[in-house]
Amino acid sequence: MQHVGLLSLSIPHVALSKTANKETPLHAQSPGFTTEPYLQSLTSSSVSIQVLTRTNSYTWVEFGEQKIDQSHFESRHGLKVANCRYFNFKLYNLKPDTLYQYRIHTKPIQKLAGYEVLYGEEMVSETYSFRTLPQQKESCNIILFNDIHDRNGSFKTLWQVRNQQTTDLVVFNGDMFNQIKDENQLVENFLLPINELFSTRTPFVFNRGNHETRGLFARELDKYFDYPNQKTYQAFQLGPIFWIFLDSGEDKFDSSKEYFGLADFDRLRLEQRDWLLEIVKTPAFKRAKFRAVAIHMPPLYSKDWHGPTHCHELFVPIFNKHKIDIVYSGHNHKAEFIAPNDDHKFALFIGGGPKEGQRTILDVQANSKSLHSQLISENGQVIKSWTIKA
């Protein structure tokens, strides 16, 4: 089980490389960094720091508390990870509730042979900060985005809806893209916009939607995120909330012509059903004050499409039996709230759509006494609030 935690330090957006021409866009520097670093899987003692470089390189991270005095690189089978562009650094044995500084070093590899390695000029990022999770976290603040659909300006518009100084975790609850064609789209329409807003200091979860299963790059997408156990679903405790993130898959039958015989989402959902039945047995799930689910396609109120219907059949009985308090979804492109009833014992929030006038965020705040959720429009209007008492 993972624990994601508090990153509350606010720092300005800074130039990516000390040797870069500041007149040139960050993503156009060559060699150097394609993105600033971005954080995931933060706990009281660990964090995942990811970064993309422009060219194949040897890249490492330096970090420390009062001063930067430690370095870390990844290795596999006795070889340092090198001659590639994507790096995921996992830092362990950190101190709880401690502010750390970090920066990224990279050296382009111009030639790599058996007895000769030729490096280019070393480049160093600016210095960033994060704070580890306290061992006992009593409260949390979470923001959920859904259905951006390649409108990368929507991130900033929605981010400004509320004061984000205390945001502990950002959840992208599906359909950030229309379809995913290549890495450049991932960088331009997702990683760079969120770099500018928060991701160098605040962790996020990328919870896949059905549109992320489409396109030439769909089978590469998971490599850019720190999924536990290499699965696109996960669960962890954050403050008083036990979170479950489910991958709802595609909306049509696996046999539908649109998938050309390459879809296998029924099996993915069945796999998650079996996994979920084990999760609800865990002590962390049972003792949590609140239990929340994020799933892109609503398992109810999504008409008669096969994917949501299959999610309903597999997951809703488990949600009802094991006292899930609330479910957060998107997909329908219509902001909606449904209170608990005889069919589902949990509350259901469905975020809005991608067009101007439809866009929403979900703001979730919890402490030992209550879990408070707000569906907020892009103009700051609260569409619906719902509070669950412990």
Side-chain angles (χ1 to χ4, degrees):
M1 301 297 294
Q2 281 183 282
H3 300 262
V4 180
L6 176 65
L7 290 171
S8 60
L9 182 69
S10 177
I11 60 174
H13 183 63
V14 292
L16 190 57
S17 170
K18 293 179 179 177
T19 62
N21 179 352
K22 294 183 180 180
E23 298 298 318
T24 307
L26 297 179
H27 60 279
Q29 304 297 335
S30 184
F33 302 94
T34 302
T35 67
E36 294 180 274
Y38 52 100
L39 304 181
Q40 297 187 292
S41 305
L42 184 72
T43 76
S44 61
S45 61
S46 64
V47 71
S48 171
I49 302 174
Q50 290 147 286
V51 72
L52 277 166
T53 58
R54 289 283 300 171
T55 59
N56 282 5
S57 64
Y58 168 50
T59 299
W60 66 100
V61 61
E62 292 183 339
F63 66 100
E65 298 174 53
Q66 300 300 319
K67 61 180 180 178
I68 295 178
D69 56 3
Q70 301 178 66
S71 64
H72 175 82
F73 53 83
E74 294 291 329
S75 65
R76 287 196 294 268
H77 313 303
L79 294 170
K80 290 184 179 181
V81 174
N83 202 35
C84 56
R85 298 179 48 249
Y86 169 72
F87 296 85
N88 183 357
F89 304 107
K90 296 180 180 293
L91 306 185
Y92 297 103
N93 300 316
L94 304 178
K95 296 179 182 178
D97 196 15
T98 300
L99 181 67
Y100 283 90
Q101 302 177 71
Y102 72 99
R103 60 183 175 234
I104 311 296
H105 290 248
T106 187
K107 291 199 296 186
I109 293 180
Q110 299 175 346
K111 182 178 181 180
L112 180 61
Y115 298 100
E116 183 181 8
V117 176
L118 181 62
Y119 292 111
E121 179 185 1
E122 181 176 331
M123 301 180 74
V124 186
S125 77
E126 297 296 328
T127 298
Y128 307 97
S129 301
F130 66 88
R131 182 176 290 277
T132 51
L133 174 70
Q135 286 185 326
Q136 299 295 327
K137 185 165 172 56
E138 301 299 329
S139 63
C140 60
N141 294 266
I142 302 98
I143 296 294
L144 293 94
F145 290 82
N146 65 276
D147 295 279
I148 299 298
H149 286 280
D150 280 309
R151 293 165 170 84
N152 56 17
S154 293
F155 293 113
K156 186 173 184 180
T157 297
L158 293 169
W159 186 254
Q160 295 172 340
V161 163
R162 69 177 287 276
N163 185 341
Q164 302 290 355
Q165 296 303 309
T166 59
T167 301
D168 300 317
L169 175 69
V170 178
V171 176
F172 297 103
N173 202 16
D175 286 8
M176 298 302 105
F177 308 96
N178 288 319
Q179 58 173 298
I180 185 72
K181 300 175 182 179
D182 55 31
E183 184 186 275
N184 187 64
Q185 180 188 4
L186 171 65
V187 169
E188 296 284 345
N189 285 358
F190 183 69
L191 293 176
L192 289 182
I194 69 169
N195 268 165
E196 183 177 352
L197 295 172
F198 67 85
S199 62
T200 62
R201 62 185 184 274
T202 304
F204 68 87
V205 169
F206 190 91
N207 203 36
R208 191 171 68 161
N210 58 307
H211 278 261
E212 274 89 38
T213 70
R214 303 173 186 177
L216 179 64
F217 208 64
R219 288 165 176 80
E220 307 299 320
L221 190 61
D222 64 305
K223 299 176 183 177
Y224 293 80
F225 305 110
D226 189 49
Y227 287 118
N229 303 316
Q230 289 73 57
K231 301 291 186 180
T232 55
Y233 51 90
Q234 57 183 302
F236 54 75
Q237 180 90 27
L238 175 56
I241 306 176
F242 190 95
W243 282 93
I244 295 169
F245 296 88
L246 295 173
D247 185 340
S248 52
E250 262 290 6
D251 53 7
K252 294 174 278 294
F253 288 96
D254 288 345
S255 58
S256 296
K257 63 181 181 180
E258 290 85 354
Y259 308 141
F260 299 93
L262 297 177
D264 191 23
F265 295 105
D266 281 354
R267 181 160 63 170
L268 174 63
R269 287 185 285 261
L270 286 165
E271 176 184 309
Q272 291 177 88
R273 186 269 315 272
D274 294 343
W275 168 83
L276 185 57
L277 287 170
E278 295 304 313
I279 289 295
V280 298
K281 297 177 185 177
T282 61
F285 177 88
K286 290 180 177 180
R287 66 173 174 254
K289 289 188 179 293
F290 306 104
R291 303 172 186 89
V293 172
I295 180 171
H296 175 68
M297 294 193 297
L300 303 129
Y301 308 102
S302 269
K303 300 181 180 179
D304 59 352
W305 290 85
H306 170 68
T309 299
H310 198 211
C311 288
H312 178 273
E313 294 171 354
L314 296 177
F315 303 142
V316 170
I318 302 174
F319 295 170
N320 284 337
K321 181 178 179 180
H322 294 280
K323 300 181 180 180
I324 294 297
D325 294 296
I326 196 160
V327 173
Y328 303 102
S329 293
H331 185 66
N332 291 354
H333 293 190
K334 180 182 177 182
E336 194 170 2
F337 171 79
I338 302 96
N341 57 37
D342 291 340
D343 293 328
H344 55 93
K345 299 178 182 179
F346 50 88
L348 174 62
F349 275 99
I350 302 174
K355 296 180 181 179
E356 288 189 29
Q358 298 179 346
R359 299 175 294 185
T360 62
I361 60 167
L362 277 157
D363 176 30
V364 179
Q365 301 186 36
N367 56 36
S368 61
K369 296 180 179 180
S370 66
L371 188 159
H372 182 63
S373 303
Q374 293 187 101
L375 182 60
I376 307 175
S377 71
E378 62 191 86
N379 62 14
Q381 178 186 0
V382 176
I383 299 170
K384 179 65 181 181
S385 295
W386 185 258
T387 300
I388 301 168
K389 299 294 185 180

